[in-house]
Amino acid sequence: MARAAPRPAVLMVAAVVAVLLPDAAEPRILLTLDDFGAVGDGVADDTKVRQRCCSVFNIISRTRRSPGSSSYLYHDLKVTGGGIIDGRGQQWWARSSCEEKKNCTAQPAPKAVHFEDCHGISVKGITLQNSQQYHLTFTRSSNVEANYLRVTSPEDSIDTKGMHLVDSKNVHVMDNLISTGDDCVSIMGNCTDVRLRAISCGPGHGISIGTLGVNGSVDYVEKIKVDTLFISNAENGVRVKTTKVKFESIVMRNVTNPIIIDQGNSDDPADSSEAPQTAATAVQVEKINYIDIRGTSASEHAVTFSCSDAKPCRHLSLTNVNLTWVDGLKASSYCRKAFGKSTGTVIPESCLSKEDFVHHVPRHSEEDEEEDSDS
Ligand SMILES: *[C@@H]1O[C@H](CO)[C@@H](O)[C@H](O)[C@H]1NC(C)=O
Ligand SMILES: *[C@@H]1O[C@H](CO)[C@@H](O)[C@H](O)[C@H]1NC(C)=O
Ligand SMILES: *[C@@H]1O[C@H](CO)[C@@H](O)[C@H](O)[C@H]1NC(C)=O
Ligand SMILES: *[C@@H]1O[C@H](CO)[C@@H](O)[C@H](O)[C@H]1NC(C)=O
Ligand SMILES: *[C@@H]1O[C@H](CO)[C@@H](O)[C@H](O)[C@H]1NC(C)=O
């Protein structure tokens, strides 16, 4: 719980409401719009308010009524201060293992710190630990910065993710150390213009970008740039199910699937957690660039591009990749319906098919590709 050094800004949260979560031994802090001086208009969605459950240190905010809407939006919200937010998630992790056996009747685990509809938000220099499910999430937010954070929970904290972005744009996540049981950073539905930089991930499930598009759902995640990462002892390094992503300068150490695209084919050599029948409706994976990726793979398949028959992966590009199997053995690449090119030294040797063999999808012009590769 909150153990921040006393600071005058705490006055800003004098109106917070302490609530007891069902399994928590200690009170949590629930922040509502009213805490920022907004006048309740009676239309507030109770569930949303509950989701905004935060333990907070220094909060400086301006709110304003959005034009043509009866709801308030958070603007220029800053969370700083060097304190620790401990989600005390141990009981929830135990429950997740019951979930795997399809024996879970409880409500979904809460998120430690969640921001929704925030525009201009900065979270800096705090420690988030032992969250129940997600340590830090942003939904429908824009102009977000999440820097100098330390996010930790044990390797066996099932389903516990570091940072999670949904439907957000213009997000900068930099200089963070993230070590959890599940994804380090996941970027899902409709996120665009996201930059991840200087992040250390692991253990956990690495970086996950995009979703499979199960049951015809449409989620667009694009224009994501990831660079200067160190990923160690993780299940995946960089995992993608979307378009327009650039990965650059990434060092892997003992990562089971350092580079992976899996559209849920049942014959995948790599573990696929999603159901195999999703392949038919899988989202298009294209324009993914991997540049300067090196280090060690914990499995033979250092590179896995397992794409679907319905939507083969296209315009994949590998440039200067050097991944070896942990004990010095030669690693290999696996490709299924994967099209693209390799340049420079690529180890293990690329198995991408030449783009020319994609007949049934429209070709993109060189110009288009050029523009994307420096985005
Ligand atoms: C499901 O969980 C409940 C409570 O945790 C337990 O009593 C019950 O035996 C479990 N059922 C199965 C099928 O595992
Ligand atoms: C993404 O956008 C599509 C189309 O606007 C919408 O149907 C879908 O619900 C959005 N997904 C998320 C997770 O916001
Ligand atoms: C997809 O649709 C089927 C049938 O409507 C349903 O049983 C299944 O739960 C859905 N899957 C997801 C992930 O929503
Ligand atoms: C490699 O990573 C796995 C977890 O994925 C871990 O259990 C194992 O101890 C690591 N090996 C080394 C040599 O660090
Ligand atoms: C690839 O990495 C291995 C192990 O780190 C190293 O020995 C080898 O020289 C590298 N190869 C190239 C071409 O950089």
Side-chain angles (χ1 to χ4, degrees):
M1 297 311 296
R3 283 192 299 266
R7 281 171 188 249
V10 167
L11 288 174
M12 295 290 295
V13 290
V16 298
V17 184
V19 294
L20 276 170
L21 289 177
D23 289 302
E26 291 181 43
R28 305 299 165 96
I29 295 169
L30 179 66
L31 277 164
T32 70
L33 291 165
D34 295 339
D35 304 321
F36 298 100
V39 179
D41 54 10
V43 299
D45 176 347
D46 193 41
T47 58
K48 280 188 188 157
V49 171
R50 238 183 301 123
Q51 284 163 356
R52 291 193 178 108
C53 181
C54 315
S55 299
V56 179
F57 300 85
N58 301 323
I59 293 192
I60 300 159
S61 159
R62 285 190 284 130
T63 55
R64 71 153 202 239
R65 198 184 273 270
S66 60
S69 153
S70 58
S71 63
Y72 285 91
L73 299 172
Y74 288 137
H75 279 269
D76 301 331
L77 184 61
K78 291 186 171 61
V79 180
T80 61
I84 298 172
I85 295 173
D86 190 328
R88 300 169 62 86
Q90 287 81 357
Q91 301 123 2
W92 292 94
W93 305 333
R95 200 172 295 188
S96 295
S97 60
C98 97
E99 225 167 74
E100 281 189 344
K101 293 175 208 123
K102 310 270 182 258
N103 183 23
C104 202
T105 50
Q107 76 257 50
K111 296 155 183 159
V113 177
H114 177 58
F115 295 97
E116 216 171 288
D117 301 307
C118 294
H119 304 280
I121 173 153
S122 161
V123 181
K124 277 189 188 156
I126 59 174
T127 293
L128 300 155
Q129 66 190 28
N130 302 324
S131 174
Q132 306 89 341
Q133 190 191 18
Y134 296 102
H135 287 81
L136 179 60
T137 71
F138 297 94
T139 299
R140 289 187 305 277
S141 294
S142 64
N143 302 334
V144 173
E145 281 187 14
N147 303 341
Y148 311 110
L149 304 175
R150 192 185 161 89
V151 176
T152 62
S153 62
E155 190 172 357
D156 61 1
S157 57
I158 296 165
D159 285 342
T160 302
K161 296 177 171 73
M163 212 174 288
H164 186 62
L165 308 175
V166 182
D167 209 357
S168 293
K169 62 184 180 195
N170 200 3
V171 180
H172 286 212
V173 175
M174 298 189 196
D175 297 293
N176 299 311
L177 189 141
I178 303 174
S179 143
T180 63
D182 204 306
D183 295 340
C184 173
V185 179
S186 56
I187 303 176
M188 302 297 164
N190 300 338
C191 282
T192 180
D193 291 303
V194 178
R195 176 92 192 266
L196 307 186
R197 188 186 165 86
I199 299 173
S200 168
C201 282
H205 293 181
I207 306 289
S208 180
I209 303 179
T211 44
L212 275 178
V214 184
N215 283 354
S217 74
V218 236
D219 270 358
Y220 303 97
V221 176
E222 59 174 30
K223 294 196 215 156
I224 312 290
K225 191 171 173 188
V226 177
D227 76 279
T228 322
L229 258 58
F230 175 63
I231 305 178
S232 62
N233 302 325
E235 184 178 291
N236 301 313
V238 290
R239 186 176 190 211
V240 186
K241 296 173 202 122
T242 188
T243 64
K244 292 190 194 166
V245 185
K246 183 175 183 179
F247 296 105
E248 189 163 8
S249 299
I250 300 182
V251 174
M252 310 272 181
R253 183 181 296 159
N254 182 35
V255 174
T256 308
N257 304 300
I259 291 180
I260 181 164
I261 293 175
D262 58 332
Q263 290 190 308
N265 299 296
S266 49
D267 54 350
D268 274 3
D271 262 354
S272 174
S273 47
E274 270 104 346
Q277 65 271 24
T278 54
T281 54
V283 295
Q284 180 69 59
V285 176
E286 64 177 3
K287 298 183 182 172
I288 314 293
N289 291 307
Y290 301 88
I291 303 163
D292 293 327
I293 316 283
R294 64 191 170 86
T296 57
S297 171
S299 75
E300 188 196 338
H301 288 118
V303 178
T304 302
F305 293 133
S306 178
C307 305
S308 69
D309 296 330
K311 291 191 173 153
C313 300
R314 56 196 190 185
H315 301 295
L316 306 182
S317 160
L318 294 164
T319 308
N320 298 333
V321 172
N322 185 5
L323 294 165
T324 50
W325 198 354
V326 261
D327 32 13
L329 295 169
K330 225 178 131 195
S332 65
S333 299
Y334 173 86
C335 290
R336 182 184 190 283
K337 301 278 174 188
F339 296 84
K341 61 178 186 201
S342 68
T343 25
T345 307
V346 173
I347 304 168
E349 198 181 330
S350 164
C351 55
L352 291 169
S353 305
K354 282 197 177 132
E355 228 47 84
D356 305 347
F357 294 110
V358 190
H359 290 304
H360 56 291
V361 287
R363 294 281 311 275
H364 286 253
S365 68
E366 284 304 310
E367 218 178 345
D368 192 10
E369 255 195 285
E370 223 45 72
E371 177 201 309
D372 293 318
S373 55
D374 358 283
S375 64

